[in-house]
Amino acid sequence: MKYVIIGGVAGGMSAATRLRRLNEEAEIIVVERGPYVSFANCGLPYFIGGVIQERSKLLVQTAEKLYQRFRLDVRTESEATHIDREQKKVTITHHGKTYEENYDALILSTGAHPMRPPIKGIDQADHLFTLRDVPDAEHIVQHLQQHQVDRAVIIGAGFIGMEMAENLAERGLKVTIIEREHQVLPPLDPEMAASVEAELKERGIEVLKGKTVTGFEEKGAVLVMDDGRRKESDLTLLSVGIVPESSLAEQAGLALGIRRSISVNDQLQTSDPNIYAIGDAIEVAQTISGKAAVIPLASPANRQGRMVADILSGLNRHYKGTLGTSIVKIFDTSAAVTGLSEKMLQRYQIPYEALHTSPPDHASYYPGSSQMTLKLLFDPEVGKLLGAQAVGKKGIDKTIDVLATAIHGQMTVNDLTELELAYAPPFNSAKAPVNLIGYASENLLEDKVQHVQWNEVDQLVKQGAMLIDVRTEQEYENGTIQGAVNIPLDNLRQRVREIPKNRNLIVTCQVGLRGYLASRILAQKGYKVKNLDGGYKLYKSVFPEKVKE
C-alpha cells in the first residue's frame, strides 16, 4: 500500500508514524508546504516571550530523524497543488519543479490559516503579524530584535491572543488588547472571563472590549477603531480566528461543511472513499450537542491522526466527536473549558442548569492554597453533565480534566459526588472541588435549594425581592451588593422575625456556601428563598461598579 499524507504537523505526523507501526512494508510519503514538520505550534508564544529560548526545542522531529526511525519519506517545502481523484494522483510542487505521486489512500491534514479580515489599509501594514507556524514566530522575534518596539496591539482576545499578551508584556512591552466581543476569552461565559480580565488589567494590559478595528494608517503604525478611537502600535498581532485550509479539497470536488471545512464521516472519510481528512481543516460533531463544528485543537488532531491510521490498517474505529477541552495560562491565572458553554447551550436551545462554586485547590489549612471559580452546566431533569469552566491560580488543569473525563463518560452530577480522587493536604481537599460542585448540583437537582444567577439578582430586587447578606458585619462593611440587608448567618435564627414572610427572599454570602445554609434555614421556616449562585465574589467580578464599598 502507498499512503500520501498532505500536512506534516500534529495530525499528519501522528497518522504517518502510526501507519508505520502497523504497516512495516507500506510506502508512506508526507508532503509539507513549510520548512518544518512535527513542530510544537502551541509553544510559539512562549518562544516569542523567551520562555523557550531555543527554536530547536519547538522542533519535535526532523525529516531526517523521521526517516531514520520510521522510514518515512518526508518532503518539506513541497506543496500539493492538485488532486486527480480518478487517477488517484497528487500534483506536488517543490522549489519550482512539479511532479506527481500516485496513492492508494490519501490523508488531508492541511490545517488552517489565520483569518485576515478586509480591513482598510491591512495590506500596507508593515508590522502586522499572524502566528501559526515557526516562520511566523521567527518573523515576530526578528522584528522585536531589529526595531524599537515599545507598544504592541493584539487584535482578538482568544487563547492565542491571551498567550501573546502575557509573553509580550513579559518582554517589557506596553500591550493593548482589542476585542469585538464584550468580554475576553469568548469561549468562556462572561462571568468566568471577568477574573481573567482583572488579571490582565492588574498586569498593566489595556483591554478594549466591544471594539472593532476598521483601518490601519501610517503603514500600520496607527489602528483606527469603529468608535473613531486611534491606537499607536509598533507591533500588531492579528488573532481573530482561523479559516480551515480546504482549498485543495474544494478543487478536488470534495464535499465541504460549515465554514468551508472538509466534511468527513465518523471514520474520517471524505466524500471520496479513498481520501481521508483530519485536524483543523475538518468539520466535526461537537460531542454534547451533536452539531457540526470546527474545533481547531492539537489533542483532537493527534487523536484523529492515530485513528485514521488504525482505520486504514483494518481496525474498527469511529470518531465520536470533539468535546472542545481547552486551557490557557494568563500570568498567574489559568482558565479552562470543556463541553458546551452557557452561551452555546442557549444558542442550541438545550435545557440546562448552571451552578458556580469557589473551592480551594487543596486543603485550605495547608500553605499556598488558593481559591478557584468553578462552573458546571448540567441537564435540569437528570443531571447529565453538559459543560464546565474553571478559572484560578492552581489546580485548574486537574479539575477540568476530571470533568472532561466525566462528561465523556456521560456521567451525572450524582456521579461526581461518588468520585474517589487522590487526597493529601498539599494536593487536594478531602472533598475535592469536583465532589463539592457535585454536591451543590445534586442539592439543586433534588430541590434542596433554589438559586438565582449573577445577572438576575438586580432585576429581582427591583421587582420587590429582599436581598439578605448573611456574611459577618465586617465583611458587609467592606463591600456588599447595593440594597442588601445584613443579617449574619450565625444570628439568622434569632433575627428571623425581622424578615417579612410576604416577600421573596434572596440570600447572598461570599461564594454561596453560607447562603445555601441560610436558605435551608429559611425554607424550613416557610420563607420563599433563593440563594445567589456564586455569591458576592462572582457578582463583584462582573459588576465591580455596582457594589457598595
Side-chain angles (χ1 to χ4, degrees):
M1 292 291 289
K2 182 177 180 179
Y3 303 105
V4 175
I5 301 170
I6 300 176
V9 192
M13 203 50 66
S14 291
T17 52
R18 177 66 171 173
L19 275 171
R20 174 58 73 221
R21 292 193 295 273
L22 298 177
N23 304 272
E24 178 62 23
E25 302 304 320
E27 183 179 359
I28 304 170
I29 299 172
V30 180
V31 180
E32 169 55 43
R33 179 169 55 188
Y36 307 106
V37 291
S38 194
F39 61 84
N41 52 3
C42 295
L44 296 176
Y46 303 100
F47 172 64
I48 293 168
V51 178
I52 300 171
Q53 297 186 355
E54 299 177 25
R55 184 189 63 178
S56 60
K57 298 291 185 182
L58 298 171
L59 306 179
V60 181
Q61 290 284 1
T62 65
E64 293 75 20
K65 289 180 179 179
L66 288 165
Y67 177 77
Q68 183 178 12
R69 177 162 295 180
F70 295 101
R71 289 300 188 266
L72 300 177
D73 183 356
V74 179
R75 305 175 187 179
T76 57
E77 298 182 308
S78 299
E79 182 174 6
T81 58
H82 179 72
I83 300 171
D84 185 336
R85 292 167 52 193
E86 185 174 342
Q87 298 297 320
K88 297 174 69 174
K89 292 182 178 180
V90 179
T91 302
I92 301 168
T93 299
H94 174 69
H95 292 174
K97 296 181 180 181
T98 299
Y99 62 96
E100 292 183 335
E101 284 287 353
N102 66 301
Y103 62 84
D104 292 306
L106 179 66
I107 301 173
L108 303 179
S109 182
T110 46
H113 60 267
M115 189 179 297
R116 192 177 174 92
I119 303 172
K120 183 179 178 181
I122 192 170
D123 294 331
Q124 289 74 46
D126 287 344
H127 45 259
L128 176 67
F129 299 91
T130 56
L131 183 61
R132 190 67 183 171
D133 53 27
V134 175
D136 287 343
E138 290 174 330
H139 292 152
I140 294 172
V141 171
Q142 288 171 6
H143 184 77
L144 289 165
Q145 292 172 342
Q146 297 172 5
H147 299 84
Q148 181 67 37
V149 180
D150 300 314
R151 300 158 300 184
V153 174
I154 296 171
I155 305 174
F159 284 70
I160 298 298
M162 292 294 97
E163 290 172 343
M164 282 298 294
E166 174 188 358
N167 280 281
L168 291 175
E170 294 285 19
R171 288 188 68 127
L173 277 65
K174 175 65 177 176
V175 178
T176 298
I177 297 172
I178 302 174
E179 169 58 51
R180 69 177 180 179
E181 301 291 333
H182 291 277
Q183 66 169 91
V184 299
L185 284 179
L188 271 65
D189 289 318
E191 79 279 17
M192 299 299 289
S195 56
V196 175
E197 182 181 342
E199 173 81 2
L200 291 166
K201 291 179 176 178
E202 186 177 321
R203 297 288 183 156
I205 293 176
E206 182 182 26
V207 180
L208 303 178
K209 300 177 297 181
K211 310 290 183 186
T212 302
V213 175
T214 57
F216 294 95
E217 295 181 354
E218 299 181 25
K219 295 185 177 181
V222 176
L223 286 72
V224 181
M225 286 169 267
D226 51 356
D227 60 357
R229 185 169 180 172
R230 299 161 68 86
K231 196 73 186 175
E232 294 182 345
S233 176
D234 303 313
L235 184 155
T236 302
L237 180 76
L238 187 63
S239 183
V240 294
I242 58 97
V243 178
E245 187 56 81
S246 59
S247 56
L248 187 63
E250 184 176 16
Q251 291 169 10
L254 299 177
L256 300 183
I258 62 168
R259 293 171 53 188
R260 307 194 70 79
S261 58
I262 304 172
S263 181
V264 295
N265 62 18
D266 69 348
Q267 290 200 305
L268 302 167
Q269 196 173 39
T270 69
S271 54
D272 185 317
N274 298 305
I275 302 177
Y276 296 76
I278 56 178
D280 295 355
I282 70 169
E283 175 186 276
V284 298
Q286 201 287 328
T287 305
I288 302 299
S289 66
K291 303 289 186 181
V294 176
I295 306 177
L297 295 170
S299 179
N302 278 282
R303 289 189 291 111
Q304 292 159 13
R306 178 186 173 93
M307 182 175 289
V308 78
D310 286 355
I311 292 166
L312 286 168
S313 302
L315 298 173
N316 187 24
R317 303 278 192 261
H318 296 271
Y319 192 69
K320 299 178 182 178
T322 302
L323 195 55
T325 306
S326 309
I327 189 168
V328 63
K329 171 184 174 296
I330 310 101
F331 298 102
D332 292 335
T333 295
S334 299
V337 59
T338 188
L340 292 177
S341 66
E342 187 170 1
K343 292 180 292 187
M344 294 302 294
L345 288 165
Q346 291 172 351
R347 181 183 302 177
Y348 294 146
Q349 298 183 323
I350 298 174
Y352 70 92
E353 193 67 74
L355 189 135
H356 302 77
T357 59
S358 295
D361 70 284
H362 62 259
S364 55
Y365 59 81
Y366 187 87
S369 174
S370 65
Q371 201 172 48
M372 69 176 72
T373 301
L374 183 58
K375 179 176 185 177
L376 190 67
L377 297 147
F378 56 94
D379 181 276
E381 297 297 326
V382 297
K384 180 181 176 181
L385 305 178
L386 303 174
Q389 297 170 38
V391 179
K393 304 293 183 184
K394 294 185 295 184
I396 301 304
D397 53 343
K398 174 174 65 177
T399 301
I400 215 70
D401 282 346
V402 172
L403 289 169
T405 304
I407 293 172
H408 182 80
Q410 299 186 353
M411 296 172 70
T412 68
V413 297
N414 307 88
D415 294 320
L416 296 185
T417 69
E418 298 293 333
L419 288 180
E420 184 177 329
L421 303 172
Y423 162 63
F427 304 104
N428 212 340
S429 298
K431 295 178 181 177
V434 171
N435 297 138
L436 288 173
I437 204 163
Y439 293 137
S441 301
E442 188 177 63
N443 284 333
L444 195 64
L445 194 67
E446 296 176 350
D447 206 29
K448 297 295 190 295
V449 66
Q450 296 182 7
H451 69 187
V452 299
Q453 290 296 326
W454 56 275
N455 56 348
E456 299 173 324
V457 62
D458 290 347
Q459 185 62 33
L460 291 171
V461 170
K462 285 182 182 178
Q463 293 172 354
M466 182 179 180
L467 181 62
I468 304 174
D469 189 331
V470 298
R471 296 176 300 158
T472 65
E473 292 181 6
Q474 186 60 58
E475 288 177 292
Y476 177 81
E477 291 296 327
N478 289 339
T480 189
I481 300 172
Q482 292 185 18
V485 175
N486 183 223
I487 304 178
L489 174 63
D490 293 340
N491 300 333
L492 184 60
R493 291 180 178 88
Q494 296 93 308
R495 297 178 57 183
V496 71
R497 293 178 182 175
E498 300 175 24
I499 304 172
K501 279 204 169 182
N502 62 349
R503 292 181 67 181
N504 292 322
L505 306 180
I506 300 171
V507 291
T508 181
C509 62
Q510 187 66 15
V511 297
L513 175 58
R514 283 174 287 175
Y516 162 67
L517 298 176
S519 68
R520 290 299 300 155
I521 293 169
L522 293 169
Q524 292 178 82
K525 292 183 179 295
Y527 289 90
K528 295 180 180 179
V529 58
K530 294 183 178 181
N531 185 26
L532 176 57
D533 184 35
Y536 174 72
K537 177 176 177 282
L538 184 66
Y539 181 92
K540 182 182 177 182
S541 71
V542 186
F543 301 125
E545 74 283 357
K546 289 187 178 182
V547 300
K548 178 183 176 183
E549 294 184 309

